[in-house]
């Protein structure tokens, strides 16, 4: 049985390239001071910059606040991440 995930509204607000508020976040895939990768309802979102810090994370509501110098952001497909959660046998026999 396939589990359906509800899609929450996704919003990205950046103020002066120094802080950002995001909604529609499923999980924080990875983060360090130069890069934050988030799994959103609209795909993987990669934010790159300097001195990046996740100041607030509320996964129940799907919200993230971050600070630092934001230099770029990029959306990509999150299908590979979704498949990584499946078992090896289910991926082999598709």
């Amino acid at each position: 049985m396939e589990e359906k995930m509800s899609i929450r509204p996704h919003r990205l607000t950046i103020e002066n390239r120094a802080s950002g508020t995001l909604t529609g976040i499923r999980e924080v895939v990875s983060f360090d001071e130069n890069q934050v990768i988030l799994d959103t309802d609209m795909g993987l979102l990669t934010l790159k910059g300097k001195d990046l810090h996740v100041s607030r994370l509320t996964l129940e509501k799907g919200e993230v606040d971050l600070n630092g110098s934001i230099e770029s952001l990029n959306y990509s497909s999150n299908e590979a991440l979704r498949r990584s959660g499946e078992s090896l046998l289910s991926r082999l026999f598709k």
Side-chain angles (χ1 to χ4, degrees):
M1 175 185 268
E2 187 174 314
E3 177 184 328
K4 288 189 175 185
M5 295 182 169
S6 64
I7 294 180
R8 297 178 271 197
H10 177 61
R11 182 182 338 204
L12 168 63
T13 306
I14 297 177
E15 296 180 32
N16 299 321
R17 293 179 58 182
S19 64
T21 301
L22 298 96
T23 63
I25 305 300
R26 293 183 186 267
E27 72 174 303
V28 176
V29 177
S30 70
F31 69 94
D32 60 33
E33 64 183 22
N34 298 313
Q35 177 174 281
V36 177
I37 302 175
L38 304 167
D39 183 15
T40 75
D41 291 328
M42 299 287 119
L44 285 179
L45 173 60
T46 302
L47 294 114
K48 293 185 180 181
K50 295 178 184 168
D51 300 321
L52 297 176
H53 301 282
V54 175
S55 59
R56 183 179 67 92
L57 171 62
T58 309
L59 288 179
E60 295 82 26
K61 293 182 179 180
E63 300 174 347
V64 171
D65 290 345
L66 43 96
N67 299 307
S69 176
I70 300 168
E71 295 176 353
S72 71
L73 56 99
N74 182 49
Y75 282 95
S76 59
S77 171
N78 56 5
E79 289 304 313
L81 179 67
R82 299 267 184 259
R83 283 197 317 264
S84 68
E86 297 176 1
S87 73
L88 177 60
L89 289 176
S90 67
R91 285 185 279 163
L92 286 174
F93 293 110
K94 278 193 173 184

Coordinates of all heavy atoms in Angstrom, one line a residue:
M1 N 0.8 -1.2 0.0 CA 0.0 0.0 0.0 C 0.9 1.2 0.0 O 1.8 1.3 0.8 CB -0.9 0.0 1.2 CG -1.7 1.2 1.4 SD -2.7 1.3 2.9 CE -4.2 0.5 2.3
E2 N 0.6 2.2 -0.9 CA 1.4 3.4 -1.0 C 0.9 4.5 -0.1 O -0.3 4.7 -0.1 CB 1.4 3.8 -2.5 CG 2.4 4.9 -2.7 CD 2.5 5.3 -4.2 OE1 2.6 4.3 -5.0 OE2 2.4 6.5 -4.5
E3 N 1.7 5.1 0.7 CA 1.3 6.1 1.6 C 1.2 7.5 0.8 O 2.2 7.9 0.1 CB 2.3 6.3 2.7 CG 2.0 7.4 3.7 CD 3.1 7.5 4.7 OE1 3.7 6.5 5.1 OE2 3.3 8.6 5.1
K4 N 0.1 8.2 0.9 CA 0.0 9.4 0.2 C 0.3 10.5 1.2 O -0.1 10.5 2.4 CB -1.5 9.7 -0.3 CG -1.8 8.8 -1.4 CD -3.1 9.2 -2.0 CE -3.4 8.4 -3.3 NZ -4.7 8.9 -3.9
M5 N 1.1 11.5 0.7 CA 1.5 12.6 1.6 C 0.7 13.8 1.1 O 0.6 14.1 -0.1 CB 3.0 12.9 1.4 CG 3.9 11.8 1.9 SD 5.6 12.4 1.7 CE 6.4 11.1 2.6
S6 N 0.2 14.5 2.1 CA -0.6 15.7 1.7 C 0.4 16.9 1.4 O 1.5 17.0 1.9 CB -1.5 16.2 2.9 OG -0.7 16.5 4.0
I7 N 0.0 17.6 0.4 CA 0.9 18.7 -0.1 C 0.5 20.0 0.7 O -0.7 20.4 0.7 CB 0.8 19.0 -1.6 CG1 1.3 17.7 -2.3 CG2 1.5 20.2 -2.0 CD1 1.3 17.8 -3.8
R8 N 1.4 20.5 1.4 CA 1.2 21.8 2.1 C 1.6 23.0 1.3 O 2.4 22.8 0.4 CB 2.1 21.8 3.4 CG 1.7 20.7 4.4 CD 2.6 20.7 5.5 NE 3.7 19.9 5.2 CZ 4.6 19.4 6.1 NH1 4.4 19.7 7.4 NH2 5.5 18.6 5.8
P9 N 1.1 24.1 1.5 CA 1.5 25.3 0.7 C 3.0 25.5 0.9 O 3.5 25.5 2.0 CB 0.7 26.4 1.4 CG -0.5 25.8 2.1 CD 0.0 24.4 2.5
H10 N 3.6 25.8 -0.2 CA 5.1 26.0 -0.2 C 5.3 27.5 -0.5 O 4.8 28.1 -1.5 CB 5.8 25.2 -1.3 CG 7.2 25.4 -1.4 ND1 8.1 25.2 -0.3 CD2 8.0 25.9 -2.4 CE1 9.3 25.5 -0.7 NE2 9.3 25.9 -2.0
R11 N 6.1 28.1 0.4 CA 6.4 29.6 0.3 C 7.8 29.8 0.7 O 8.3 29.2 1.6 CB 5.5 30.4 1.2 CG 5.7 31.9 1.0 CD 4.8 32.7 1.9 NE 3.7 31.9 2.3 CZ 2.5 32.4 2.7 NH1 2.4 33.7 2.8 NH2 1.5 31.7 3.1
L12 N 8.5 30.6 -0.1 CA 9.9 31.0 0.2 C 9.9 32.5 0.2 O 9.6 33.2 -0.8 CB 10.8 30.4 -0.9 CG 12.2 30.9 -0.9 CD1 13.0 30.6 0.3 CD2 12.9 30.3 -2.1
T13 N 10.4 33.1 1.3 CA 10.5 34.5 1.5 C 11.9 34.8 1.9 O 12.4 34.3 2.9 CB 9.5 35.1 2.5 OG1 8.2 34.7 2.2 CG2 9.6 36.6 2.6
I14 N 12.6 35.6 1.1 CA 14.0 36.0 1.4 C 14.1 37.5 1.6 O 13.6 38.3 0.8 CB 15.0 35.6 0.3 CG1 15.0 34.1 0.2 CG2 16.4 36.1 0.6 CD1 15.9 33.5 -0.9
E15 N 14.6 38.0 2.7 CA 14.8 39.4 3.0 C 16.2 39.8 2.9 O 17.0 39.3 3.7 CB 14.2 39.7 4.4 CG 12.7 39.4 4.5 CD 12.1 39.7 5.9 OE1 12.6 40.6 6.5 OE2 11.2 39.0 6.3
N16 N 16.5 40.7 2.0 CA 17.8 41.3 1.9 C 19.0 40.2 1.7 O 20.1 40.5 2.2 CB 18.1 42.2 3.0 CG 17.2 43.4 3.1 OD1 16.8 43.9 2.1 ND2 16.8 43.7 4.3
R17 N 18.6 39.1 1.2 CA 19.6 38.0 1.0 C 20.3 37.6 2.3 O 21.3 37.0 2.3 CB 20.7 38.3 0.0 CG 20.1 38.4 -1.4 CD 21.1 38.8 -2.5 NE 22.2 37.8 -2.5 CZ 23.2 38.0 -3.3 NH1 23.3 39.0 -4.1 NH2 24.2 37.1 -3.3
A18 N 19.7 38.0 3.5 CA 20.3 37.7 4.8 C 19.5 36.8 5.6 O 20.0 36.2 6.6 CB 20.5 39.0 5.5
S19 N 18.2 36.7 5.4 CA 17.3 35.8 6.1 C 16.2 35.2 5.3 O 15.8 35.9 4.3 CB 16.8 36.5 7.4 OG 15.9 37.5 7.0
G20 N 15.7 34.1 5.6 CA 14.6 33.5 4.8 C 13.7 32.7 5.7 O 14.1 32.2 6.7
T21 N 12.4 32.6 5.2 CA 11.4 31.8 5.9 C 10.8 30.9 4.8 O 10.5 31.4 3.7 CB 10.3 32.7 6.5 OG1 10.9 33.6 7.4 CG2 9.2 31.9 7.2
L22 N 10.7 29.6 5.1 CA 10.2 28.7 4.1 C 9.1 27.9 4.8 O 9.2 27.5 6.0 CB 11.3 27.7 3.7 CG 12.5 28.4 3.0 CD1 13.6 28.6 4.0 CD2 13.0 27.5 1.9
T23 N 8.1 27.5 4.0 CA 7.0 26.6 4.4 C 6.9 25.5 3.4 O 7.4 25.6 2.3 CB 5.7 27.4 4.6 OG1 5.3 27.9 3.3 CG2 5.8 28.5 5.5
G24 N 6.2 24.5 3.8 CA 6.1 23.3 2.9 C 7.3 22.4 2.9 O 7.6 21.7 1.9
I25 N 8.0 22.4 4.0 CA 9.2 21.6 4.2 C 8.9 20.3 4.7 O 8.2 20.2 5.7 CB 10.2 22.3 5.1 CG1 10.5 23.7 4.6 CG2 11.5 21.5 5.3 CD1 11.1 23.8 3.3
R26 N 9.4 19.2 4.1 CA 9.2 17.8 4.6 C 10.3 17.4 5.6 O 10.0 16.8 6.6 CB 9.1 16.8 3.5 CG 7.8 17.0 2.6 CD 7.8 15.9 1.6 NE 6.7 16.1 0.6 CZ 5.5 15.6 0.8 NH1 5.3 14.8 1.8 NH2 4.6 15.9 -0.1
E27 N 11.5 17.8 5.2 CA 12.7 17.4 6.1 C 13.9 18.2 5.6 O 14.0 18.7 4.5 CB 13.0 15.9 6.1 CG 13.6 15.4 4.8 CD 14.0 14.0 4.9 OE1 14.8 13.6 5.8 OE2 13.5 13.2 4.1
V28 N 14.8 18.4 6.6 CA 16.1 19.0 6.2 C 17.0 17.8 5.9 O 17.3 16.9 6.7 CB 16.7 19.7 7.4 CG1 18.1 20.3 7.1 CG2 15.8 20.9 7.8
V29 N 17.4 17.7 4.6 CA 18.3 16.6 4.2 C 19.7 16.8 4.7 O 20.3 15.8 5.2 CB 18.3 16.5 2.6 CG1 19.2 15.4 2.1 CG2 16.8 16.3 2.1
S30 N 20.3 18.0 4.6 CA 21.6 18.2 5.1 C 21.8 19.7 5.2 O 21.1 20.5 4.6 CB 22.7 17.6 4.3 OG 22.8 18.3 3.0
F31 N 22.7 20.1 6.1 CA 23.0 21.5 6.2 C 24.4 21.7 6.8 O 24.9 20.9 7.6 CB 22.0 22.3 7.0 CG 21.9 22.0 8.5 CD1 22.6 22.8 9.4 CD2 21.2 21.0 8.9 CE1 22.6 22.5 10.7 CE2 21.1 20.7 10.3 CZ 21.8 21.4 11.2
D32 N 25.1 22.8 6.4 CA 26.3 23.2 7.0 C 26.3 24.7 6.7 O 25.4 25.3 6.3 CB 27.5 22.5 6.5 CG 27.8 22.7 5.0 OD1 27.4 23.7 4.4 OD2 28.3 21.7 4.4
E33 N 27.4 25.4 7.0 CA 27.4 26.9 6.9 C 27.5 27.4 5.5 O 27.3 28.6 5.2 CB 28.6 27.4 7.7 CG 30.0 27.0 7.2 CD 31.1 27.6 8.0 OE1 30.9 27.9 9.2 OE2 32.2 27.7 7.5
N34 N 27.7 26.5 4.5 CA 27.8 26.9 3.1 C 26.6 26.4 2.3 O 26.4 26.9 1.1 CB 29.1 26.4 2.5 CG 30.3 27.0 3.1 OD1 30.3 28.2 3.4 ND2 31.2 26.2 3.4
Q35 N 25.8 25.4 2.8 CA 24.7 24.8 2.0 C 23.7 24.2 2.8 O 24.0 23.6 3.8 CB 25.3 23.8 1.0 CG 24.4 23.0 0.2 CD 25.0 22.1 -0.8 OE1 25.5 22.5 -1.8 NE2 25.1 20.8 -0.4
V36 N 22.4 24.4 2.5 CA 21.3 23.8 3.2 C 20.4 23.1 2.1 O 20.1 23.7 1.1 CB 20.4 24.9 3.9 CG1 19.2 24.2 4.6 CG2 21.2 25.6 4.9
I37 N 20.2 21.8 2.3 CA 19.3 21.1 1.3 C 18.1 20.7 2.1 O 18.1 20.0 3.1 CB 20.1 19.8 0.8 CG1 21.4 20.3 0.1 CG2 19.1 19.1 -0.2 CD1 22.2 19.1 -0.4
L38 N 16.9 21.1 1.5 CA 15.6 20.9 2.1 C 14.7 20.0 1.1 O 14.8 20.3 -0.1 CB 14.9 22.2 2.4 CG 15.7 23.2 3.3 CD1 15.0 24.5 3.2 CD2 15.7 22.7 4.7
D39 N 14.0 19.1 1.7 CA 13.0 18.3 0.9 C 11.7 19.1 1.0 O 11.2 19.1 2.1 CB 12.9 16.9 1.4 CG 12.0 16.1 0.5 OD1 11.6 16.5 -0.6 OD2 11.6 15.0 1.0
T40 N 11.2 19.7 0.0 CA 10.0 20.4 0.0 C 8.9 19.7 -0.8 O 9.2 18.7 -1.5 CB 10.1 21.8 -0.6 OG1 10.2 21.7 -2.0 CG2 11.4 22.5 -0.1
D41 N 7.7 20.1 -0.7 CA 6.6 19.5 -1.4 C 6.7 19.8 -2.9 O 6.1 19.1 -3.7 CB 5.2 20.1 -0.9 CG 4.9 19.6 0.5 OD1 5.3 18.5 0.8 OD2 4.3 20.3 1.3
M42 N 7.6 20.7 -3.3 CA 7.8 21.1 -4.7 C 9.1 20.5 -5.2 O 9.5 20.8 -6.4 CB 7.8 22.6 -4.9 CG 6.5 23.3 -4.5 SD 5.2 22.9 -5.7 CE 4.0 22.1 -4.7
G43 N 9.8 19.7 -4.5 CA 11.1 19.2 -4.9 C 12.2 19.5 -3.9 O 12.0 20.2 -2.9
L44 N 13.4 19.1 -4.2 CA 14.6 19.4 -3.3 C 15.0 20.9 -3.6 O 15.0 21.3 -4.7 CB 15.8 18.5 -3.7 CG 15.7 17.1 -3.1 CD1 17.0 16.3 -3.6 CD2 15.6 17.0 -1.7
L45 N 15.2 21.6 -2.5 CA 15.7 23.0 -2.6 C 17.0 23.1 -2.0 O 17.2 22.7 -0.8 CB 14.7 23.9 -1.9 CG 15.1 25.3 -1.7 CD1 15.3 26.0 -3.1 CD2 14.0 26.1 -0.9
T46 N 18.0 23.5 -2.8 CA 19.4 23.7 -2.3 C 19.6 25.2 -2.2 O 19.5 25.9 -3.2 CB 20.4 23.1 -3.3 OG1 20.1 21.7 -3.4 CG2 21.8 23.2 -2.7
L47 N 20.0 25.7 -1.0 CA 20.4 27.1 -0.8 C 21.9 27.1 -0.5 O 22.4 26.4 0.3 CB 19.6 27.7 0.4 CG 18.1 27.8 0.2 CD1 17.4 26.9 1.1 CD2 17.7 29.2 0.4
K48 N 22.6 27.9 -1.2 CA 24.0 28.1 -1.0 C 24.3 29.5 -0.6 O 23.6 30.4 -0.9 CB 24.8 27.8 -2.3 CG 24.7 26.3 -2.7 CD 25.5 26.0 -3.9 CE 25.4 24.5 -4.2 NZ 26.2 24.1 -5.4
G49 N 25.4 29.6 0.2 CA 25.8 30.9 0.7 C 26.9 30.8 1.7 O 27.7 29.8 1.7
K50 N 27.0 31.8 2.6 CA 28.0 31.8 3.6 C 27.4 32.0 5.0 O 26.4 32.8 5.1 CB 29.0 33.0 3.3 CG 29.8 32.8 2.1 CD 30.7 33.9 1.8 CE 31.4 33.7 0.4 NZ 32.0 34.9 0.0
D51 N 27.9 31.4 6.0 CA 27.5 31.5 7.4 C 26.0 31.2 7.5 O 25.3 31.9 8.2 CB 27.8 32.9 8.0 CG 29.3 33.2 8.0 OD1 30.1 32.3 8.3 OD2 29.7 34.4 7.7
L52 N 25.5 30.2 6.8 CA 24.1 29.8 6.9 C 23.8 29.1 8.2 O 24.6 28.2 8.6 CB 23.7 28.9 5.7 CG 23.8 29.6 4.3 CD1 23.5 28.5 3.2 CD2 22.9 30.8 4.2
H53 N 22.7 29.5 8.8 CA 22.3 28.9 10.1 C 20.8 28.6 10.0 O 20.0 29.5 9.7 CB 22.6 29.8 11.3 CG 24.0 30.1 11.4 ND1 25.0 29.2 11.9 CD2 24.7 31.2 11.1 CE1 26.2 29.8 11.9 NE2 26.0 31.0 11.4
V54 N 20.3 27.5 10.4 CA 18.9 27.2 10.6 C 18.5 27.7 12.0 O 18.9 27.1 13.0 CB 18.6 25.7 10.4 CG1 17.1 25.4 10.7 CG2 19.0 25.2 9.0
S55 N 17.8 28.8 12.1 CA 17.5 29.3 13.4 C 16.2 28.8 14.0 O 16.0 28.8 15.2 CB 17.3 30.9 13.3 OG 16.4 31.2 12.3
R56 N 15.3 28.3 13.1 CA 14.0 27.7 13.6 C 13.6 26.6 12.7 O 13.6 26.7 11.5 CB 12.9 28.7 13.7 CG 11.6 28.1 14.3 CD 10.6 29.2 14.4 NE 10.1 29.7 13.1 CZ 9.1 29.2 12.5 NH1 8.4 28.2 13.0 NH2 8.8 29.7 11.3
L57 N 13.3 25.4 13.2 CA 12.8 24.3 12.4 C 11.6 23.7 13.1 O 11.7 23.3 14.3 CB 13.9 23.2 12.3 CG 13.6 21.9 11.7 CD1 13.1 22.1 10.3 CD2 14.8 20.9 11.8
T58 N 10.5 23.7 12.4 CA 9.3 23.1 12.9 C 8.7 22.1 11.9 O 8.0 22.5 11.0 CB 8.2 24.2 13.3 OG1 8.8 25.2 14.1 CG2 7.0 23.6 14.0
L59 N 9.1 20.9 11.9 CA 8.7 19.9 10.9 C 7.2 19.6 11.0 O 6.6 19.2 9.9 CB 9.6 18.6 11.0 CG 11.0 18.8 10.5 CD1 11.8 17.5 10.7 CD2 11.1 19.3 9.1
E60 N 6.6 19.7 12.2 CA 5.2 19.4 12.3 C 4.4 20.4 11.4 O 3.4 20.0 10.8 CB 4.7 19.5 13.7 CG 5.3 18.5 14.6 CD 6.7 18.8 15.1 OE1 7.0 20.0 15.2 OE2 7.5 17.9 15.4
K61 N 4.8 21.6 11.3 CA 4.2 22.6 10.5 C 4.9 22.8 9.1 O 4.4 23.5 8.3 CB 4.2 24.0 11.2 CG 3.4 24.0 12.4 CD 3.4 25.4 13.0 CE 2.6 25.5 14.3 NZ 2.6 26.9 14.9
G62 N 6.1 22.2 9.0 CA 6.8 22.3 7.7 C 7.4 23.6 7.5 O 7.5 24.1 6.4
E63 N 8.0 24.3 8.6 CA 8.5 25.6 8.5 C 10.0 25.6 8.9 O 10.4 24.9 9.8 CB 7.8 26.5 9.5 CG 6.3 26.7 9.1 CD 5.5 27.5 10.1 OE1 6.0 27.8 11.2 OE2 4.4 27.8 9.8
V64 N 10.7 26.5 8.2 CA 12.2 26.7 8.5 C 12.5 28.1 8.4 O 12.0 28.8 7.5 CB 13.1 25.9 7.5 CG1 14.5 26.2 7.7 CG2 12.9 24.4 7.7
D65 N 13.2 28.7 9.3 CA 13.8 30.0 9.2 C 15.3 29.8 9.2 O 15.9 29.0 9.9 CB 13.5 30.8 10.5 CG 12.0 31.2 10.5 OD1 11.3 31.1 9.5 OD2 11.6 31.7 11.6
L66 N 16.0 30.6 8.3 CA 17.4 30.6 8.2 C 18.0 31.9 8.1 O 17.3 32.9 7.6 CB 18.0 29.6 7.2 CG 17.4 29.5 5.8 CD1 18.1 30.4 4.8 CD2 17.5 28.1 5.4
N67 N 19.3 32.1 8.5 CA 20.0 33.3 8.5 C 21.3 33.1 7.8 O 21.9 32.0 7.9 CB 20.2 33.9 9.9 CG 18.9 34.2 10.6 OD1 18.0 34.9 10.1 ND2 18.7 33.6 11.8
G68 N 21.9 34.1 7.3 CA 23.2 34.1 6.7 C 23.2 34.8 5.4 O 22.3 35.5 5.0
S69 N 24.3 34.7 4.6 CA 24.4 35.4 3.3 C 23.9 34.4 2.2 O 24.7 33.5 1.9 CB 25.8 35.8 3.1 OG 25.9 36.4 1.8
I70 N 22.7 34.5 1.7 CA 22.2 33.6 0.7 C 22.6 34.0 -0.7 O 22.4 35.2 -1.1 CB 20.6 33.6 0.8 CG1 20.2 33.1 2.2 CG2 20.1 32.7 -0.3 CD1 18.8 33.3 2.5
E71 N 23.4 33.2 -1.4 CA 23.9 33.5 -2.7 C 23.1 32.9 -3.8 O 23.1 33.4 -4.9 CB 25.4 33.1 -2.7 CG 26.2 33.8 -1.8 CD 27.7 33.4 -1.7 OE1 28.0 32.3 -2.3 OE2 28.5 34.0 -1.0
S72 N 22.6 31.7 -3.6 CA 21.8 31.0 -4.7 C 20.8 30.0 -4.1 O 21.0 29.6 -3.0 CB 22.7 30.3 -5.7 OG 23.3 29.2 -5.1
L73 N 19.8 29.7 -4.9 CA 18.9 28.6 -4.6 C 18.6 27.9 -5.9 O 18.5 28.5 -6.9 CB 17.7 29.1 -3.9 CG 16.8 30.2 -4.5 CD1 15.6 29.6 -5.2 CD2 16.4 31.2 -3.5
N74 N 18.3 26.6 -5.7 CA 18.1 25.7 -6.9 C 17.1 24.6 -6.5 O 17.3 24.0 -5.5 CB 19.4 25.1 -7.3 CG 19.2 24.3 -8.6 OD1 18.6 24.7 -9.5 ND2 19.7 23.1 -8.5
Y75 N 16.0 24.5 -7.3 CA 15.1 23.4 -7.1 C 15.5 22.2 -8.0 O 15.9 22.4 -9.1 CB 13.7 23.8 -7.5 CG 13.0 24.6 -6.5 CD1 13.0 26.0 -6.5 CD2 12.3 24.1 -5.4 CE1 12.4 26.8 -5.6 CE2 11.7 24.8 -4.4 CZ 11.7 26.2 -4.5 OH 11.1 26.9 -3.6
S76 N 15.3 21.0 -7.5 CA 15.6 19.8 -8.3 C 14.5 18.8 -7.9 O 13.9 18.9 -6.9 CB 17.0 19.3 -8.2 OG 17.2 19.0 -6.8
S77 N 14.5 17.7 -8.7 CA 13.5 16.6 -8.4 C 13.9 15.9 -7.1 O 15.1 15.7 -6.9 CB 13.6 15.6 -9.6 OG 12.8 14.5 -9.3
N78 N 12.9 15.5 -6.4 CA 13.2 14.7 -5.2 C 12.9 13.3 -5.3 O 12.8 12.6 -4.4 CB 12.5 15.3 -4.0 CG 11.0 15.4 -4.2 OD1 10.5 15.0 -5.2 ND2 10.3 16.0 -3.2
E79 N 12.8 12.8 -6.6 CA 12.4 11.4 -6.8 C 13.5 10.5 -6.3 O 13.3 9.4 -5.7 CB 12.2 11.1 -8.3 CG 10.8 11.7 -8.7 CD 9.7 11.2 -7.9 OE1 9.5 10.0 -7.7 OE2 8.9 12.1 -7.5
A80 N 14.8 10.8 -6.5 CA 15.9 10.0 -6.0 C 15.9 9.9 -4.5 O 16.1 8.8 -4.0 CB 17.2 10.5 -6.5
L81 N 15.6 11.0 -3.8 CA 15.5 10.9 -2.4 C 14.3 10.0 -1.9 O 14.5 9.3 -1.0 CB 15.3 12.3 -1.8 CG 15.2 12.4 -0.3 CD1 16.5 12.0 0.4 CD2 14.8 13.8 0.1
R82 N 13.2 10.1 -2.6 CA 12.0 9.3 -2.3 C 12.3 7.8 -2.5 O 12.0 7.0 -1.7 CB 10.8 9.7 -3.1 CG 10.4 11.1 -3.0 CD 9.3 11.2 -1.9 NE 8.8 12.5 -1.9 CZ 9.1 13.4 -0.9 NH1 9.9 13.0 0.0 NH2 8.7 14.6 -0.9
R83 N 13.0 7.5 -3.6 CA 13.4 6.1 -3.9 C 14.4 5.6 -2.9 O 14.4 4.4 -2.6 CB 13.9 6.0 -5.3 CG 12.8 6.0 -6.3 CD 13.3 5.5 -7.6 NE 14.6 5.9 -8.0 CZ 14.9 7.0 -8.8 NH1 13.9 7.7 -9.3 NH2 16.1 7.3 -9.1
S84 N 15.2 6.4 -2.3 CA 16.2 5.9 -1.4 C 15.6 5.4 -0.1 O 16.2 4.6 0.6 CB 17.2 7.0 -1.0 OG 16.6 8.1 -0.3
G85 N 14.3 5.8 0.2 CA 13.6 5.3 1.3 C 13.0 3.9 1.1 O 12.6 3.2 2.0
E86 N 12.9 3.5 -0.2 CA 12.3 2.2 -0.5 C 13.4 1.1 -0.3 O 14.6 1.4 -0.3 CB 11.9 2.2 -2.0 CG 10.8 3.2 -2.3 CD 10.5 3.2 -3.8 OE1 11.1 2.4 -4.5 OE2 9.6 4.0 -4.2
S87 N 12.9 -0.1 -0.2 CA 13.8 -1.2 0.0 C 14.5 -1.5 -1.4 O 14.0 -1.2 -2.4 CB 13.1 -2.5 0.4 OG 12.3 -3.0 -0.6
L88 N 15.6 -2.1 -1.3 CA 16.4 -2.5 -2.5 C 15.6 -3.4 -3.4 O 15.6 -3.2 -4.6 CB 17.7 -3.2 -2.1 CG 18.6 -3.7 -3.2 CD1 19.0 -2.5 -4.1 CD2 19.8 -4.4 -2.7
L89 N 14.9 -4.4 -2.8 CA 14.1 -5.3 -3.7 C 13.0 -4.6 -4.4 O 12.7 -4.9 -5.6 CB 13.6 -6.5 -2.8 CG 14.6 -7.5 -2.3 CD1 13.9 -8.5 -1.4 CD2 15.3 -8.2 -3.4
S90 N 12.3 -3.7 -3.7 CA 11.2 -3.0 -4.4 C 11.7 -2.1 -5.6 O 11.1 -2.0 -6.6 CB 10.4 -2.2 -3.4 OG 11.2 -1.1 -2.9
R91 N 12.9 -1.6 -5.4 CA 13.5 -0.8 -6.5 C 14.0 -1.7 -7.7 O 13.9 -1.3 -8.8 CB 14.7 0.1 -6.0 CG 14.2 1.3 -5.2 CD 15.3 2.1 -4.8 NE 16.0 1.5 -3.6 CZ 17.2 1.8 -3.2 NH1 17.9 2.7 -3.9 NH2 17.8 1.3 -2.2
L92 N 14.5 -2.9 -7.4 CA 14.9 -3.8 -8.4 C 13.8 -4.3 -9.3 O 14.0 -4.5 -10.4 CB 15.7 -5.0 -7.8 CG 17.1 -4.7 -7.3 CD1 17.7 -5.9 -6.6 CD2 18.0 -4.2 -8.4
F93 N 12.7 -4.6 -8.6 CA 11.6 -5.3 -9.3 C 10.5 -4.3 -9.8 O 9.4 -4.7 -10.1 CB 11.0 -6.3 -8.4 CG 11.9 -7.4 -8.2 CD1 12.5 -7.6 -6.9 CD2 12.3 -8.3 -9.2 CE1 13.4 -8.6 -6.7 CE2 13.2 -9.3 -8.9 CZ 13.7 -9.5 -7.7
K94 N 10.8 -3.1 -10.0 CA 9.8 -2.1 -10.6 C 9.8 -2.2 -12.1 O 10.7 -2.5 -12.8 CB 10.2 -0.7 -10.2 CG 9.6 -0.4 -8.8 CD 9.7 1.1 -8.6 CE 9.0 1.3 -7.3 NZ 8.9 2.7 -7.0

